[in-house]
Amino acid sequence: MDSITLTLPNGKKEVPVRTKGIEILDSFGADTSKIVALKVDNEVISLCRPLRVSSSVEPVFLDSPSGAEIYRRSLCFVLAAASNKLFHEMRLLVGHSLGNAYYYTLDRDTPLSAYEVANLEKEMKSLIEANLAISTKHISYAEAVALFEKLNLTETRKQLDCRCKPRFLVNTLSGMDDFSDLYFGPLVATTGILNVFELRPYGDGFLLRYPDQRNHSRLTEFVDNPKIFDVYQNYKEWGKRVGVTSAASLNEIIVKGKFNDFIDITETYQAQNYARVAERIHKRGNVKVVLIAGPSSSGKTTSAKKIALHLQALGYKPHVLSLDNYYVGRDRNPKDENGNYDYECLEALDIPLLNENLCDLFDGKTVKLPSYNFDTGSRYYTGQTMKLGPQDILICEGIHGLNDRLTPHVKSEYKFKIYLSALTLLNLDDHNKISTSDNRLIRRIVRDANFRGKSAAGTIAMWDSVKKGEKLHIFPFQNNADAVLNTALDYEIPVLKVYVEPALRAIKPSEPEYTEACRLLRFLNNFNVAPSEYVPKQSIIREFIGGSDFSY
């Protein structure tokens, strides 16, 4: 029998060709109950997938980013199976994320009752306690069509005709031959490990709550984000009205040659939302500074310029005050746990000087504006001054804009705070959602490659650090916002795909970032490509792909 050599963290091992990962768990010298997948030459694969060539192999643990993702995806699969058993005639629809939870509804006119949600949770627990095996199998295109039509998975069925593969890999639960589902990544080997979760009635549906990556033994306290939820719901309803709710729907538009029209519709809808926020600022009457905050690649710079244009149309004279010019300097700048300068913490900014300048401006005084030299790490002055007239208004964008500790001496009635995020509302199909974080990461990879000379591997390498900063300095203050703007555009992924795919494919299997590249490429495989020539010159997407009318 042919054999292959596996290079494990603790040595080499000869095994027969087509050995499955689940058969070699004891070789890792670790707690096998916490291993949920393997990383083979930096690609994450299921424990049930056969190994065919000599490779470097390491375990994927539950508390790793990939392990946490597999846990969440597997919970979604069990939920879909339980829902099919209890609500066989109705479609289970995955919505958006809300903290450590996914929002779900059933495709029907009436909301789910608390009793129905409790029964669904009970059925999930039954499937988990039975410790059922989760396996994969390939089925033909014709079998897949028949399966998803029978299960009434409309968007999943539609996506088959966009991908047009001769066979599809589906997931099944032992003992449930009448249900299979399509997922775009590995699942756990058995359901028994998925014992920490909760279904909570919410809105017209329910939340599937899952544990935080750092502690899988319990759920964190539920923190509601009603403003974010409302934005999601408004965009979901808009998507239903225009008939685009999934990658399948978007692909259909591309194939039928209606993509340019959809770009116009999407941009118009987003512009209406910017105009509404500007009108709210105007109606307040006494706003003197607009504070804009949002996570990386949410389009803060373009949004600030768009808000400024809408305010100009209402008679204001907007001025941009850059928070980057208020860094304290390297001699006073805090450092992180690794000894590096932490430019993202609030203490990196000269809060007293900023507040003094703001209060002086609002009192009608002339202020000398600071500048900051990032090469020398020091502040300097160029002689630039600012004085506000009756119709003048300040716009400041930065990660701390929603935190009142940034502007403690500015009267609350003078401030209007806007939270931005690229809240992706499309799903891949009925049961597979699109991560908002993934959408922003793709934007960031494209922008870094186009304008900062950074490779996709370089951007991916620092993404965890970026997300850590967002969790500390941005997300906790979301509900402080006076308005929430969604900067995602439902047409953007087919456009960005043209730019990001070559960059991701240049990452080698020997690089640790290959893991994330493989995952993103699997995700992008669900979308057709579309040219960027019809993207408007003032679109947020131009901030990332170039060709904008705005200067950055």
Side-chain angles (χ1 to χ4, degrees), residues 302 446-447 450-451 491 495 499 532-552:
T302 303
V446 173
R447 186 186 66 189
N450 282 338
F451 304 114
Y491 72 80
V495 172
Y499 298 84
S532 62
E533 58 186 297
Y534 293 104
V535 176
K537 296 299 183 181
Q538 291 188 356
S539 172
I540 277 179
I541 303 308
R542 290 289 176 187
E543 184 177 329
F544 306 96
I545 66 174
S548 177
D549 280 347
F550 296 125
S551 58
Y552 297 100

Side-chain angles (χ1 to χ4, degrees), residues 10 27 139 207 210 252 280 322 358 412 473 502 505 548:
N10 53 356
S27 303
I139 60 175
L207 297 175
Y210 48 79
E252 197 171 48
R280 287 180 57 189
S322 175
L358 289 174
S412 59
H473 305 304
R505 294 192 186 283
S548 177

Side-chain angles (χ1 to χ4, degrees), residues 257-316:
K258 298 181 179 180
F259 190 67
N260 299 342
D261 293 336
F262 186 63
I263 288 178
D264 292 339
I265 293 168
T266 307
E267 290 282 353
T268 301
Y269 182 66
Q270 188 178 81
Q272 290 173 345
N273 287 313
Y274 277 96
R276 290 189 188 101
V277 170
E279 187 64 36
R280 287 180 57 189
I281 294 169
H282 176 61
K283 286 183 176 179
R284 278 261 299 264
N286 57 353
V287 175
K288 297 183 183 295
V289 58
V290 178
L291 296 157
I292 300 175
S296 174
S297 302
S298 56
K300 293 186 289 294
T301 305
T302 303
S303 293
K305 295 178 183 295
K306 284 177 173 284
I307 289 292
L309 285 175
H310 284 288
L311 288 173
Q312 283 180 284
L314 293 171
Y316 292 88

Side-chain angles (χ1 to χ4, degrees), residues 77 294 336 370 419 448 482 523:
F77 174 58
D336 62 19
Y419 174 70
D448 284 358
D482 297 294
F523 162 68

Side-chain angles (χ1 to χ4, degrees), residues 298-364:
S298 56
K300 293 186 289 294
T301 305
T302 303
S303 293
K305 295 178 183 295
K306 284 177 173 284
I307 289 292
L309 285 175
H310 284 288
L311 288 173
Q312 283 180 284
L314 293 171
Y316 292 88
K317 295 179 181 178
H319 300 271
V320 175
L321 189 67
S322 175
L323 295 179
D324 284 354
N325 290 329
Y326 284 86
Y327 280 116
V328 294
R330 285 183 196 155
D331 57 331
R332 296 165 53 197
N333 203 109
K335 294 183 178 181
D336 62 19
E337 64 274 13
N338 298 315
N340 300 316
Y341 290 109
D342 185 356
Y343 291 107
E344 294 190 344
C345 68
L346 187 65
E347 292 73 20
L349 296 175
D350 193 334
I351 304 301
L353 178 62
L354 173 65
N355 281 262
E356 178 185 339
N357 286 174
L358 289 174
C359 291
D360 285 347
L361 285 169
F362 300 153
D363 287 340

